[in-house]
Amino acid sequence: MALTTKFARTLLLGAAALGTLAGSAQAADQALNIYTTREPGLIKPVLDEFTKETGIKVNTIFINNGLEERIRTEGENSPADIILTVDIGRLAAAKDYGVTQAVKSEALEKVIPTAYRDPEGHWFGIALRGRVVYASKERVKQDKITYEELADPKWKGKICIRSGQHLYNVSLIAAAIAHMGEAKAEEWLKGVKANLAKKPSGGDREQAKDILAGVCDIAVGNTYYVSLMLNGKDEEQKKWGEAINVILPTFQGGGTHVNVSGLALAKHAPNKANAVKFMEFMVSDDSQRIHAEANSEYPIKAGIKIHPTIASFGELKADNVAIAEIAKLRKKASELVDKVGFDQ
């Protein structure tokens, strides 16, 4: 009797253990782990919609700096499924660090133009932002400008910009190299430096603040910051946004420099099927609409409504240099920043 009872208890314990494992496996099947440099509040609406549509729970780890290094250090044990970040510099770095894997997806390739995805499928742009000119409403009357004109002596002492080594500006300078060649880009960057009103500092919003304060007449910044200032709850920042007009500059013979928000599949993604499902969801109509509204970025998908504030800047004629080509020139661009002493 005792043996029978003991055997029964063993069976019950074994069944319970199997049930727990089965439950854990089922939970894992409905999970997705995202490593991101994006502020949690900006991506929450999209993540919530993904969970609503698929039932897959999304876990996010916010890593502002060193995301690629962390995943590489974690190696095969990394829980990361998706890398979600901004700027081609970070996407290219993830690929160079060997922490991504290629994805072949008709859904992604159909929506995302070749100029905004890795030729080998290691990263994909899901939204665009323009690197544009903020101009004082009071002191600047022109409504057109080229990037080349930023080096014109007529702007001497009138330009504000954040650090030349910031990834947004490195990509812009890389685009300048693509258009002008390295030697002419160097002369151009020297000209821009000569026109600075002060030492490069702050973020893009602070450049608008300096325009309002009369420190400079024009500045370089991303499109979406203007929308965030104008439509946010910070009354002080709203004043900064109201003090400027946005001019969509172009390169001579080209268009407005754009960069991407994008994602990649982590090399050792434990939930690969869920990760690919998420990547494809990010180019769906619903996701693109939410992303455009919440983040004030240009949708990557044609036909999706642009945020009204962003649309008010005028028609975006994006530059014709592929983002992957800009990525290749970022090292030279960074070297030029140091060579001309841009941040000094």
Side-chain angles (χ1 to χ4, degrees):
M1 183 68 178
L3 286 173
T4 303
T5 303
K6 184 176 181 181
F7 181 66
R9 286 176 180 170
T10 302
L11 286 175
L12 287 172
L13 288 171
L18 287 172
T20 301
L21 288 173
S24 299
Q26 186 176 15
D29 287 343
Q30 298 303 314
L32 178 71
N33 303 317
I34 297 178
Y35 279 30
T36 181
T37 62
R38 305 221 66 175
E39 295 179 15
L42 293 177
I43 59 175
K44 187 177 186 301
V46 178
L47 303 185
D48 288 347
E49 184 63 24
F50 175 71
T51 297
K52 179 182 175 182
E53 289 192 14
T54 65
I56 297 172
K57 179 184 177 182
V58 179
N59 306 306
T60 57
I61 297 178
F62 175 67
I63 307 170
N64 191 34
N65 295 303
L67 183 152
E68 304 86 13
E69 293 93 332
R70 173 164 174 171
I71 297 177
R72 186 166 68 175
T73 300
E74 291 172 344
E76 294 181 6
N77 295 319
S78 176
D81 294 309
I82 289 286
I83 297 167
L84 183 63
T85 188
V86 297
D87 195 86
I88 181 55
R90 283 177 168 153
L91 290 167
K95 180 183 177 182
D96 292 344
Y97 267 71
V99 298
T100 63
Q101 60 177 297
V103 173
K104 184 70 176 176
S105 165
E106 184 178 344
L108 293 172
E109 293 171 6
K110 183 178 179 181
V111 171
I112 305 171
T114 56
Y116 306 127
R117 51 184 163 89
D118 177 50
E120 297 175 343
H122 278 260
W123 52 260
F124 298 84
I126 55 172
L128 303 174
R129 69 275 298 280
R131 193 89 181 129
V132 298
V133 167
Y134 300 168
S136 168
K137 286 182 177 178
E138 289 186 359
R139 301 182 297 278
V140 178
K141 302 307 177 185
Q142 70 186 68
D143 58 4
K144 293 182 180 179
I145 194 170
T146 63
Y147 291 105
E148 286 84 355
E149 189 185 326
L150 296 177
D152 190 317
K154 78 174 187 178
W155 297 112
K156 188 172 180 63
K158 296 181 178 181
I159 296 178
C160 286
I161 194 169
R162 73 195 302 167
S163 169
Q165 288 293 7
H166 189 275
L167 71 170
Y168 298 160
N169 285 332
V170 170
S171 292
L172 173 61
I173 296 164
I177 294 173
H179 280 279
M180 308 172 193
E182 191 171 351
K184 288 185 178 180
E186 180 179 339
E187 291 306 308
W188 169 77
L189 196 59
K190 287 178 180 177
V192 177
K193 174 180 166 57
N195 288 340
L196 296 181
K198 65 183 185 67
K199 182 179 177 179
S201 63
D204 284 2
R205 299 183 211 216
E206 282 69 32
Q207 313 313 313
K209 177 184 179 182
D210 283 341
I211 289 175
L212 174 62
V215 175
C216 44
D217 290 352
I218 63 173
V220 176
N222 281 350
T223 44
Y224 65 90
Y225 282 116
V226 183
S227 181
L228 295 178
M229 287 187 286
L230 291 174
N231 300 304
K233 296 179 180 180
D234 189 314
E235 292 301 319
E236 193 66 25
Q237 290 192 14
K238 195 169 292 186
K239 293 177 183 178
W240 306 347
E242 290 171 346
I244 64 174
N245 286 319
V246 171
I247 305 176
L248 302 180
T250 58
F251 284 106
Q252 292 175 4
T256 300
H257 170 64
V258 296
N259 212 313
V260 294
S261 294
L263 42 64
L265 177 63
K267 185 175 183 179
H268 301 293
N271 303 293
K272 183 175 179 179
N274 291 348
V276 173
K277 187 178 293 186
F278 177 77
M279 296 175 79
E280 294 178 343
F281 167 79
M282 291 298 278
V283 296
S284 67
D285 286 0
D286 286 345
S287 175
Q288 287 283 293
R289 277 194 291 266
I290 294 170
H291 201 87
E293 181 60 32
N295 296 325
S296 295
E297 292 181 297
Y298 292 96
I300 203 83
K301 189 171 189 176
I304 301 297
K305 184 180 179 181
I306 298 170
H307 190 290
T309 301
I310 302 299
S312 72
F313 302 157
E315 182 185 359
L316 175 71
K317 296 180 179 178
D319 196 31
N320 54 8
V321 178
I323 295 293
E325 292 305 308
I326 290 174
K328 295 176 183 177
L329 295 170
R330 292 185 80 263
K331 186 175 185 293
K332 286 184 178 180
S334 178
E335 290 170 351
L336 277 189
V337 171
D338 287 341
K339 185 176 181 180
V340 306
F342 191 83
D343 286 348
Q344 298 173 4

